[in-house]
Amino acid sequence: MTAHTRSRFFMLILTTLMLMVLCAPASAQSRRGRAPKADQFTQDTITQSDAILASVSDQTTLNTALSQIGQLSDTVAARAGVRQFDAMAKSEGVRSILMLINTARHREPGSVAQAFAQCPNFTKELGLLWNDQDNPSAVVRVAMTLMENRPEQVEQYPALAAAICVVHDQTQGGAYKVRINENSPVSAGPLEIFEFFVKNASTMKVAPDKLPAVNLIYVVDVTGSIEQLQWAHDTYHANPGIRERFFEIVYDYEHFTQGKPKKVTAAGDYSLTQIKKYGGVCADQAYFAMSVAKACGIPSGYVVARGADVSHAWVGYLDTRRRQAVWDFDAGRYPDYQNLRGNMLNPQIGRRTSDGRVGMLGSAMTQDLSTVHHAMAAGLVVERMNKNQWNAEPQLETELDRKGNLRRPRSNTPTDRLTLLRATLSKCSGVPRAWDQVTAMAKKGELNTKQLDEWSRAVLQIAGRDNQDFSFDFLAELIDGVEDHRKQHAMWEWAFGQFRTRPDLAAGVRFTQGALWEENGKPDMAWIAYQDVLDNFLNDGPMCVNALQAMNTLLGANGKQKDFLPLLEKTIRNVEQPDDMGEAFASQSNFYKVSQMLITEYERHKRPQDAQRIRRSINQEG
C-alpha cells in the first residue's frame, strides 16, 4: 500500500467515524448528555405555550389564555407522534398551571402567571404533578414564595420545588405534620426545606435534581426542625444504612410488655436525637430511619400493617444501589408481616396507599426524565378524554408544523386512549396516575373482554411480585366494571390463583366474591367464600375477624343467628394466642377480638359463666 493510498484509506476511516457520531441515534446522544434537537412541531408548541402563559395580566386575559391553551393542548394531543411527546408534556404542563391559577382565585393572577412564565422548567413540573386533591390556593402560595425568594434555584431544581408545593399545601400559617402514635412532629417552612436540600445537594445520597417529582414527594415530607435534619444529614449521609438505622434505636420493652409510658415521650421534645437517646417502639424506629433517609435525599416512608397479633411499623425506601432502582419495603419488616399488605402515607393527598402503588414509582427513577413527563402528560390527556373535556378538532388561531404528526389524528375512542397510555407506560410504568385512567375506563364499561385480559396480564407482568398490592387494586377496579356477576366471579377465581401466596390479597378476593354473591341473592355461595378465609388464613392477619363479622351479618340477614355461637366456639379453639405483651398490644390480636365476640354471644345466649371464663382467658375483670 503506497503512502497516498494509506492516506486515502485513513481519511475514509476518519470520515466514516465522524458520520457515525453525527448520525448516532438521538437516544444515544441523549444518554451522553446532549438532548436531541426538538422538531418543528415541538418547537412551535413550546413557543405558543410560553406566549399564552406570558399573555396573562388579569382575570380577563387569563380566561382568554385558558381557551387558547385548551385548543392548543387538544390539538397537540390529537396530532403528536411518539417522537413528539415533549410537545404534549409542554402544553399539558402550561394548561394545568393556568387551571391552577384560575382555581386558586388569586387576587393578582397576572403576577402569578408572569412568575411562572419566568420559570418554564418549574411550570412544567408543577403542572404535570398537582391534582384536584391538592389545595390550589396553598399550592400557588408556596410556589410564589419559592419563585420570589429563590428563582434561580427553583429553575435548577424544578422537581424539588414542585414536590414541596404539593406536599406543603397546608392552610395559611399551618405546617405539614405526621402522626407517630402519641406524637405529632411538625415540619419546618417550605422555603426552609427547599434551602436545606439545595444547600446539601452535593452531599445527598441521591441529589434532588436526579429524582423525578413523583419520587421527591417522599423526600420533602420531612418533619422536625432544620437543625435536626442537618444533624441527621451530617451524621449519616456518607452511609445512610436505612435498615441499620431502624435497629439502631433501642426498643422500649417496658412500654411494650408492661404498658409504662414511653421514655422518649416522657422526656418531651420528640425529635431524632431524643429518639436515638431514649429509644422507642417500632413506630419510633421507623420514624427515625425514614427521617434519616429523607435528610440524605432518599425517598422513604412509614409503613404500617396489622398482623394476627399486633400492628407493626417499618420503613420503605428507594434503593438506588442496584442497577435498577427499586423501593425496598423490608427495613424493619419482620417475617410475620412479609405476606401482608403494607400501607404508606401518600404525603401529597394525605391518605395511606398500598406499598405496591408506591413501589411502582421505582421505575420512574431509572428512566429519562422526559419519559416520565410523557407518561404524566398522557395521564392528564386521557383523564380529560375520559371526562369528555377534550375537543378532537379545535380551531387554532395559528397553525403548527405537521411534519412527524400522526397520519390519523387521535380520537377519544377507548382504543386510541389505551394506545396512548400503552405508548408511554411501556417506557415508564412508574406513573400510577396514568394507570388510573385505564381503571376509570373499565368502571364506565368501555373495555371489551380482550382489552380487560390484555391489561390484566400487563399489570401482573409489569408490577411483578414486589408490587402485588398495586396489581390487586388495579384488577379489582377492572373487574368491578364487568356487569355480569358470573363473569366477575370467574375473573376473581383467576385472580385468586395469581395471589395465592399472599394471604391478605387472597382473602381479599374471597371477601369480594362473598359480597358479590350476597348482592346477587346467593347466600350459600357467599358463605363458602367467607368460610374459605377461616379455613386457610385464620392466623395470617386480621382477615379472620372480618370474615366472622361478614358471616354474622349474613346469618342475621337469613334468620340463622343461632349458628354464630358454634362458629365462634370452633374458631377460638384454632386461633393462636399471642405471647405475653402489654394489654394495649394484646388487645389488637385476633385471639382477643374473637374472644370479645364470643363473650358478647355467650351473654346474648344467657351463659354468664362461659362469658366469665373467656374474660379470664384475656385477663379481663368480670
Side-chain angles (χ1 to χ4, degrees):
M1 184 182 292
T2 65
H4 178 68
T5 303
R6 283 197 302 271
S7 177
R8 291 184 60 189
F9 177 71
F10 288 125
M11 284 298 295
L12 178 61
I13 291 176
L14 180 60
T15 302
T16 302
L17 289 172
M18 290 178 65
L19 287 172
M20 288 174 65
V21 171
L22 292 172
C23 299
S27 59
Q29 293 189 33
S30 179
R31 285 195 296 269
R32 289 195 296 268
R34 289 187 297 165
K37 183 180 179 180
D39 68 352
Q40 192 59 51
F41 175 80
T42 302
Q43 291 182 45
D44 288 351
T45 300
I46 292 172
T47 299
Q48 291 193 31
S49 298
D50 287 341
I52 292 171
L53 179 60
S55 70
V56 176
S57 58
D58 53 24
Q59 187 61 47
T60 300
T61 51
L62 174 59
N63 294 337
T64 301
L66 282 167
S67 175
Q68 292 172 338
I69 196 64
Q71 293 172 351
L72 177 62
S73 59
D74 286 350
T75 299
V76 171
R79 295 182 184 177
V82 293
R83 296 184 179 180
Q84 298 172 324
F85 283 170
D86 282 345
M88 186 169 64
K90 176 67 178 186
S91 59
E92 291 299 319
V94 172
R95 176 185 181 131
S96 182
I97 284 297
L98 287 171
M99 292 177 63
L100 173 66
I101 297 172
N102 188 55
T103 308
R105 300 298 179 190
H106 196 279
R107 63 181 182 276
E108 296 182 6
S111 63
V112 177
Q114 294 308 311
F116 277 114
Q118 298 301 313
C119 300
N121 293 330
F122 175 54
T123 295
K124 181 165 67 174
E125 289 284 0
L126 182 58
L128 295 176
L129 184 64
W130 86 278
N131 60 51
D132 57 10
Q133 296 180 71
D134 290 309
N135 180 336
S137 60
V139 171
V140 168
R141 186 182 69 249
V142 176
M144 289 298 288
T145 298
L146 297 179
M147 290 188 291
E148 289 173 351
N149 288 277
R150 297 291 182 269
E152 294 183 2
Q153 288 90 344
V154 164
E155 272 297 271
Q156 185 179 357
Y157 300 98
L160 175 68
I164 289 174
C165 289
V166 300
V167 170
H168 294 267
D169 54 336
Q170 306 295 324
T171 56
Q172 184 70 42
Y176 180 80
K177 63 181 179 180
V178 294
R179 181 80 175 178
I180 309 298
N181 286 351
E182 70 277 14
N183 294 294
S184 298
V186 179
S187 74
L191 182 58
E192 292 178 282
I193 292 172
F194 181 75
E195 291 173 335
F196 166 78
F197 283 106
V198 171
K199 171 188 172 184
N200 295 285
S202 62
T203 52
M204 289 286 174
K205 198 66 177 178
V206 185
D209 59 343
K210 303 300 182 185
L211 280 167
V214 290
N215 276 305
L216 273 166
I217 65 172
Y218 294 96
V219 174
V220 302
D221 60 327
V222 286
T223 51
S225 68
I226 295 298
E227 291 75 20
Q228 285 285 303
L229 293 177
Q230 193 65 55
W231 170 83
H233 178 81
D234 293 344
T235 305
Y236 297 108
H237 75 269
N239 181 27
I242 309 306
R243 291 171 182 263
E244 290 77 9
R245 298 293 77 75
F246 183 94
F247 293 106
E248 179 179 358
I249 303 305
V250 176
Y251 199 89
D252 192 339
Y253 282 101
E254 290 185 355
H255 171 68
F256 182 70
T257 60
Q258 302 173 35
K260 292 184 177 180
K262 276 195 306 188
K263 298 180 183 68
V264 66
T265 301
D269 183 29
Y270 188 78
S271 63
L272 300 182
T273 50
Q274 291 287 82
I275 295 171
K276 186 171 183 180
K277 179 179 180 180
Y278 292 104
V281 295
C282 61
D284 310 295
Q285 292 173 310
Y287 175 70
F288 182 86
M290 80 166 188
S291 297
V292 168
K294 295 176 193 298
C296 298
I298 302 171
S300 60
Y302 175 99
V303 189
V304 295
R306 199 179 85 74
D309 292 339
V310 67
S311 294
H312 180 52
W314 63 91
V315 179
Y317 67 99
L318 186 65
D319 186 352
T320 59
R321 296 171 300 174
R322 313 176 197 181
R323 183 176 180 181
Q324 297 290 326
V326 295
W327 275 81
D328 185 326
F329 294 102
D330 288 336
R333 188 176 194 167
Y334 298 132
D336 288 350
Y337 297 86
Q338 289 294 335
N339 290 322
L340 294 177
R341 171 193 287 254
N343 290 298
M344 185 168 145
L345 182 70
N346 179 326
Q348 180 174 359
I349 63 176
R351 294 199 305 270
R352 294 199 176 278
T353 186
S354 74
D355 54 12
R357 186 178 177 91
V358 178
M360 292 292 287
L361 302 176
S363 69
M365 174 65 184
T366 58
Q367 299 297 325
D368 183 78
L369 189 57
S370 62
T371 306
V372 182
H373 291 158
H374 298 166
M376 296 173 76
L380 291 177
V381 169
V382 177
E383 183 176 12
R384 227 169 40 250
M385 292 177 172
N386 287 342
K387 295 178 179 179
N388 295 317
Q389 297 173 351
W390 184 72
N391 182 1
E393 297 180 357
Q395 300 299 314
L396 279 180
E397 295 181 5
T398 57
E399 191 54 69
L400 296 171
D401 183 88
R402 295 199 177 200
K403 187 176 180 180
N405 284 181
L406 296 175
R407 293 183 179 180
R408 181 187 66 80
R410 290 184 187 87
S411 66
N412 63 347
T413 63
T415 298
D416 279 4
R417 279 176 269 166
L418 291 176
T419 300
L420 176 57
L421 291 171
R422 187 183 296 111
T424 53
L425 286 172
S426 62
K427 295 181 179 179
C428 177
S429 60
V431 181
R433 187 175 181 180
W435 288 94
D436 291 343
Q437 305 317 313
V438 180
T439 57
M441 295 170 63
K443 285 182 178 179
K444 294 167 63 177
E446 294 185 315
L447 304 191
N448 58 38
T449 301
K450 181 181 178 182
Q451 291 166 334
L452 286 169
D453 182 66
E454 288 177 348
W455 282 90
S456 296
R457 296 183 186 280
V459 73
L460 287 170
Q461 180 180 2
I462 292 172
R465 181 175 177 81
D466 292 337
N467 300 311
Q468 284 186 320
D469 301 275
F470 179 80
S471 300
F472 179 88
D473 294 341
F474 183 84
L475 288 175
E477 297 195 57
L478 285 189
I479 296 172
D480 190 53
V482 177
E483 292 186 4
D484 189 322
H485 68 275
R486 289 164 298 185
K487 289 183 179 179
Q488 281 195 29
H489 175 76
M491 292 179 73
W492 277 120
E493 278 298 301
W494 173 80
F496 183 83
Q498 310 303 311
F499 302 118
R500 189 180 295 274
T501 58
R502 279 286 303 273
D504 56 338
L505 300 184
V509 170
R510 292 302 189 225
F511 281 125
T512 305
Q513 289 177 306
L516 181 66
W517 288 121
E518 282 192 69
E519 291 172 4
N520 288 278
K522 299 287 185 180
D524 292 343
M525 295 293 291
W527 183 271
I528 291 172
Y530 299 139
Q531 184 67 56
D532 193 50
V533 177
L534 294 184
D535 292 342
N536 294 296
F537 311 115
L538 183 61
N539 293 298
D540 291 315
M543 299 83 73
C544 82
V545 175
N546 297 332
L548 286 169
Q549 292 169 339
M551 295 167 88
N552 187 26
T553 301
L554 187 62
L555 289 170
N558 289 276
K560 298 181 179 180
Q561 188 66 50
K562 62 181 178 59
D563 293 336
F564 190 50
L565 178 58
L567 175 64
L568 286 174
E569 291 177 322
K570 178 183 178 182
T571 303
I572 198 65
R573 290 194 293 269
N574 297 310
V575 174
E576 293 177 357
Q577 189 168 352
D579 297 331
D580 292 338
M581 60 177 71
E583 183 179 349
F585 294 95
S587 63
Q588 299 179 38
S589 69
N590 284 349
F591 180 81
Y592 185 95
K593 293 190 174 184
V594 174
S595 295
Q596 288 282 35
M597 296 170 76
L598 189 53
I599 290 169
T600 301
E601 201 63 16
Y602 275 139
E603 290 176 339
R604 196 175 70 81
H605 282 263
K606 305 294 191 290
R607 294 171 58 177
Q609 292 182 339
D610 288 321
Q612 182 63 16
R613 173 173 53 84
I614 300 300
R615 285 195 182 93
R616 286 195 296 270
S617 72
I618 56 175
N619 299 317
Q620 274 196 355
E621 294 292 334

Short mmCIF file of all heavy atoms in Angstrom, two decimals, residues 347-385:
data_model
loop_
_atom_site.label_atom_id
_atom_site.label_comp_id
_atom_site.label_asym_id
_atom_site.label_seq_id
_atom_site.Cartn_x
_atom_site.Cartn_y
_atom_site.Cartn_z
N PRO A 347 -47.94 11.60 50.92
CA PRO A 347 -47.95 12.95 51.51
C PRO A 347 -48.61 14.00 50.64
O PRO A 347 -48.95 15.07 51.14
CB PRO A 347 -46.46 13.25 51.71
CG PRO A 347 -45.76 12.41 50.69
CD PRO A 347 -46.58 11.17 50.56
N GLN A 348 -48.81 13.71 49.37
CA GLN A 348 -49.47 14.69 48.51
C GLN A 348 -50.97 14.73 48.78
O GLN A 348 -51.57 15.81 48.81
CB GLN A 348 -49.23 14.39 47.03
CG GLN A 348 -49.91 15.40 46.10
CD GLN A 348 -49.55 15.20 44.63
OE1 GLN A 348 -48.78 14.31 44.28
NE2 GLN A 348 -50.12 16.02 43.77
N ILE A 349 -51.58 13.57 48.99
CA ILE A 349 -53.04 13.54 49.18
C ILE A 349 -53.42 13.34 50.64
O ILE A 349 -54.59 13.43 51.00
CB ILE A 349 -53.69 12.45 48.31
CG1 ILE A 349 -53.19 11.06 48.73
CG2 ILE A 349 -53.39 12.70 46.84
CD1 ILE A 349 -53.86 9.92 47.97
N GLY A 350 -52.41 13.04 51.51
CA GLY A 350 -52.70 12.91 52.94
C GLY A 350 -53.44 11.64 53.31
O GLY A 350 -54.08 11.59 54.37
N ARG A 351 -53.39 10.61 52.46
CA ARG A 351 -54.05 9.34 52.78
C ARG A 351 -53.07 8.19 52.56
O ARG A 351 -52.13 8.31 51.77
CB ARG A 351 -55.28 9.12 51.88
CG ARG A 351 -56.40 10.10 52.13
CD ARG A 351 -57.71 9.56 51.58
NE ARG A 351 -57.61 9.20 50.19
CZ ARG A 351 -57.85 10.02 49.17
NH1 ARG A 351 -58.18 11.27 49.42
NH2 ARG A 351 -57.75 9.62 47.92
N ARG A 352 -53.33 7.09 53.23
CA ARG A 352 -52.47 5.92 53.07
C ARG A 352 -52.81 5.18 51.79
O ARG A 352 -53.97 5.11 51.38
CB ARG A 352 -52.61 4.98 54.28
CG ARG A 352 -52.08 5.61 55.56
CD ARG A 352 -51.78 4.57 56.62
NE ARG A 352 -51.20 5.21 57.80
CZ ARG A 352 -49.93 5.52 57.92
NH1 ARG A 352 -49.08 5.25 56.94
NH2 ARG A 352 -49.47 6.11 59.01
N THR A 353 -51.78 4.65 51.18
CA THR A 353 -51.94 3.87 49.96
C THR A 353 -51.07 2.62 50.09
O THR A 353 -50.20 2.55 50.96
CB THR A 353 -51.52 4.69 48.73
OG1 THR A 353 -51.81 3.98 47.54
CG2 THR A 353 -50.04 5.02 48.76
N SER A 354 -51.30 1.64 49.26
CA SER A 354 -50.55 0.39 49.38
C SER A 354 -49.08 0.61 49.04
O SER A 354 -48.74 1.45 48.20
CB SER A 354 -51.13 -0.68 48.46
OG SER A 354 -50.81 -0.42 47.11
N ASP A 355 -48.22 -0.16 49.71
CA ASP A 355 -46.79 -0.04 49.39
C ASP A 355 -46.53 -0.47 47.95
O ASP A 355 -45.57 -0.02 47.32
CB ASP A 355 -45.93 -0.82 50.37
CG ASP A 355 -46.32 -2.29 50.50
OD1 ASP A 355 -47.11 -2.79 49.69
OD2 ASP A 355 -45.83 -2.96 51.45
N GLY A 356 -47.40 -1.31 47.39
CA GLY A 356 -47.23 -1.71 46.00
C GLY A 356 -47.40 -0.55 45.04
O GLY A 356 -46.68 -0.45 44.04
N ARG A 357 -48.33 0.34 45.34
CA ARG A 357 -48.52 1.52 44.48
C ARG A 357 -47.30 2.42 44.54
O ARG A 357 -46.86 2.94 43.51
CB ARG A 357 -49.79 2.28 44.89
CG ARG A 357 -50.14 3.45 43.96
CD ARG A 357 -51.43 4.12 44.40
NE ARG A 357 -51.74 5.28 43.58
CZ ARG A 357 -52.49 5.27 42.48
NH1 ARG A 357 -53.00 4.13 42.06
NH2 ARG A 357 -52.73 6.37 41.80
N VAL A 358 -46.77 2.61 45.75
CA VAL A 358 -45.56 3.41 45.89
C VAL A 358 -44.39 2.72 45.19
O VAL A 358 -43.56 3.37 44.55
CB VAL A 358 -45.23 3.63 47.38
CG1 VAL A 358 -43.93 4.42 47.53
CG2 VAL A 358 -46.37 4.36 48.08
N GLY A 359 -44.34 1.39 45.31
CA GLY A 359 -43.25 0.64 44.68
C GLY A 359 -43.18 0.83 43.18
O GLY A 359 -42.09 0.76 42.59
N MET A 360 -44.32 1.10 42.55
CA MET A 360 -44.33 1.31 41.10
C MET A 360 -43.50 2.53 40.70
O MET A 360 -43.03 2.64 39.57
CB MET A 360 -45.77 1.48 40.60
CG MET A 360 -46.62 0.23 40.69
SD MET A 360 -46.09 -1.07 39.54
CE MET A 360 -46.65 -0.37 37.98
N LEU A 361 -43.31 3.46 41.64
CA LEU A 361 -42.57 4.69 41.33
C LEU A 361 -41.09 4.42 41.08
O LEU A 361 -40.40 5.27 40.53
CB LEU A 361 -42.71 5.68 42.48
CG LEU A 361 -44.13 6.11 42.87
CD1 LEU A 361 -44.09 7.02 44.09
CD2 LEU A 361 -44.83 6.81 41.72
N GLY A 362 -40.61 3.24 41.48
CA GLY A 362 -39.20 2.95 41.31
C GLY A 362 -38.74 3.03 39.87
O GLY A 362 -37.65 3.53 39.58
N SER A 363 -39.59 2.57 38.94
CA SER A 363 -39.18 2.58 37.53
C SER A 363 -39.03 3.99 36.99
O SER A 363 -38.29 4.22 36.03
CB SER A 363 -40.19 1.80 36.68
OG SER A 363 -41.43 2.48 36.61
N ALA A 364 -39.71 4.97 37.62
CA ALA A 364 -39.57 6.36 37.17
C ALA A 364 -38.16 6.87 37.43
O ALA A 364 -37.67 7.75 36.71
CB ALA A 364 -40.59 7.24 37.87
N MET A 365 -37.52 6.32 38.45
CA MET A 365 -36.16 6.75 38.79
C MET A 365 -35.15 6.33 37.74
O MET A 365 -34.14 7.00 37.51
CB MET A 365 -35.79 6.15 40.16
CG MET A 365 -34.35 6.38 40.59
SD MET A 365 -33.96 8.11 40.87
CE MET A 365 -32.21 8.00 41.23
N THR A 366 -35.40 5.21 37.08
CA THR A 366 -34.43 4.66 36.14
C THR A 366 -34.65 5.12 34.71
O THR A 366 -33.92 4.72 33.81
CB THR A 366 -34.47 3.12 36.19
OG1 THR A 366 -35.79 2.67 35.87
CG2 THR A 366 -34.10 2.62 37.56
N GLN A 367 -35.66 5.94 34.48
CA GLN A 367 -35.97 6.41 33.13
C GLN A 367 -35.50 7.86 32.94
O GLN A 367 -35.34 8.61 33.91
CB GLN A 367 -37.48 6.33 32.87
CG GLN A 367 -38.06 4.94 32.95
CD GLN A 367 -37.48 4.02 31.91
OE1 GLN A 367 -37.19 4.42 30.79
NE2 GLN A 367 -37.33 2.74 32.27
N ASP A 368 -35.29 8.21 31.69
CA ASP A 368 -35.00 9.60 31.37
C ASP A 368 -36.17 10.47 31.83
O ASP A 368 -37.33 10.08 31.71
CB ASP A 368 -34.81 9.74 29.85
CG ASP A 368 -34.44 11.16 29.46
OD1 ASP A 368 -33.27 11.53 29.62
OD2 ASP A 368 -35.34 11.88 29.00
N LEU A 369 -35.87 11.65 32.38
CA LEU A 369 -36.91 12.50 32.95
C LEU A 369 -37.99 12.84 31.94
O LEU A 369 -39.18 12.91 32.28
CB LEU A 369 -36.29 13.78 33.52
CG LEU A 369 -37.23 14.67 34.34
CD1 LEU A 369 -37.83 13.91 35.50
CD2 LEU A 369 -36.48 15.91 34.84
N SER A 370 -37.62 13.04 30.69
CA SER A 370 -38.62 13.37 29.67
C SER A 370 -39.61 12.23 29.50
O SER A 370 -40.81 12.45 29.25
CB SER A 370 -37.95 13.69 28.33
OG SER A 370 -37.24 12.57 27.84
N THR A 371 -39.16 10.98 29.64
CA THR A 371 -40.05 9.83 29.51
C THR A 371 -41.06 9.80 30.64
O THR A 371 -42.22 9.44 30.46
CB THR A 371 -39.22 8.52 29.52
OG1 THR A 371 -38.22 8.59 28.51
CG2 THR A 371 -40.11 7.32 29.26
N VAL A 372 -40.62 10.20 31.85
CA VAL A 372 -41.55 10.31 32.98
C VAL A 372 -42.60 11.37 32.68
O VAL A 372 -43.79 11.18 32.92
CB VAL A 372 -40.79 10.65 34.28
CG1 VAL A 372 -41.76 10.72 35.46
CG2 VAL A 372 -39.70 9.63 34.55
N HIS A 373 -42.14 12.50 32.15
CA HIS A 373 -43.08 13.58 31.78
C HIS A 373 -44.09 13.10 30.75
O HIS A 373 -45.27 13.49 30.80
CB HIS A 373 -42.32 14.78 31.23
CG HIS A 373 -41.51 15.49 32.26
ND1 HIS A 373 -40.43 16.30 31.94
CD2 HIS A 373 -41.61 15.55 33.61
CE1 HIS A 373 -39.91 16.81 33.04
NE2 HIS A 373 -40.60 16.36 34.06
N HIS A 374 -43.66 12.28 29.80
CA HIS A 374 -44.58 11.80 28.78
C HIS A 374 -45.71 10.99 29.39
O HIS A 374 -46.88 11.16 29.03
CB HIS A 374 -43.82 10.92 27.76
CG HIS A 374 -42.75 11.65 27.02
ND1 HIS A 374 -41.78 11.00 26.28
CD2 HIS A 374 -42.48 12.99 26.90
CE1 HIS A 374 -40.97 11.89 25.75
NE2 HIS A 374 -41.37 13.11 26.11
N ALA A 375 -45.36 10.09 30.33
CA ALA A 375 -46.40 9.27 30.98
C ALA A 375 -47.33 10.14 31.82
O ALA A 375 -48.55 9.90 31.85
CB ALA A 375 -45.75 8.19 31.83
N MET A 376 -46.77 11.13 32.50
CA MET A 376 -47.61 12.03 33.31
C MET A 376 -48.55 12.82 32.42
O MET A 376 -49.74 12.99 32.73
CB MET A 376 -46.73 12.97 34.12
CG MET A 376 -45.86 12.27 35.16
SD MET A 376 -44.66 13.37 35.98
CE MET A 376 -45.75 14.26 37.11
N ALA A 377 -48.04 13.30 31.29
CA ALA A 377 -48.87 14.08 30.36
C ALA A 377 -49.95 13.21 29.73
O ALA A 377 -51.10 13.64 29.58
CB ALA A 377 -47.99 14.70 29.27
N ALA A 378 -49.60 11.98 29.36
CA ALA A 378 -50.59 11.08 28.78
C ALA A 378 -51.71 10.82 29.78
O ALA A 378 -52.89 10.72 29.39
CB ALA A 378 -49.93 9.76 28.37
N GLY A 379 -51.36 10.69 31.06
CA GLY A 379 -52.39 10.51 32.07
C GLY A 379 -53.35 11.69 32.12
O GLY A 379 -54.57 11.51 32.24
N LEU A 380 -52.82 12.91 32.01
CA LEU A 380 -53.68 14.10 32.01
C LEU A 380 -54.57 14.14 30.77
O LEU A 380 -55.76 14.48 30.85
CB LEU A 380 -52.82 15.36 32.08
CG LEU A 380 -52.08 15.63 33.40
CD1 LEU A 380 -51.21 16.87 33.27
CD2 LEU A 380 -53.07 15.80 34.54
N VAL A 381 -54.00 13.81 29.62
CA VAL A 381 -54.77 13.83 28.37
C VAL A 381 -55.92 12.84 28.44
O VAL A 381 -57.08 13.17 28.13
CB VAL A 381 -53.86 13.53 27.17
CG1 VAL A 381 -54.70 13.29 25.91
CG2 VAL A 381 -52.88 14.66 26.93
N VAL A 382 -55.62 11.60 28.82
CA VAL A 382 -56.66 10.57 28.83
C VAL A 382 -57.68 10.86 29.92
O VAL A 382 -58.87 10.56 29.76
CB VAL A 382 -56.03 9.18 29.00
CG1 VAL A 382 -57.11 8.11 29.08
CG2 VAL A 382 -55.10 8.88 27.83
N GLU A 383 -57.25 11.44 31.02
CA GLU A 383 -58.21 11.83 32.06
C GLU A 383 -59.22 12.82 31.50
O GLU A 383 -60.42 12.73 31.78
CB GLU A 383 -57.47 12.45 33.25
CG GLU A 383 -58.37 12.83 34.41
CD GLU A 383 -57.60 13.34 35.61
OE1 GLU A 383 -56.39 13.61 35.48
OE2 GLU A 383 -58.20 13.47 36.70
N ARG A 384 -58.73 13.75 30.68
CA ARG A 384 -59.62 14.72 30.05
C ARG A 384 -60.56 14.02 29.06
O ARG A 384 -61.75 14.32 28.97
CB ARG A 384 -58.78 15.77 29.33
CG ARG A 384 -59.23 17.15 29.61
CD ARG A 384 -58.36 18.28 29.20
NE ARG A 384 -57.69 18.19 27.93
CZ ARG A 384 -56.39 18.03 27.79
NH1 ARG A 384 -55.65 17.87 28.87
NH2 ARG A 384 -55.83 18.01 26.61
N MET A 385 -60.01 13.09 28.30
CA MET A 385 -60.83 12.34 27.36
C MET A 385 -61.91 11.53 28.09
O MET A 385 -63.07 11.48 27.66
CB MET A 385 -59.96 11.39 26.54
CG MET A 385 -59.01 12.06 25.56
SD MET A 385 -57.98 10.83 24.71
CE MET A 385 -57.15 11.84 23.48
#
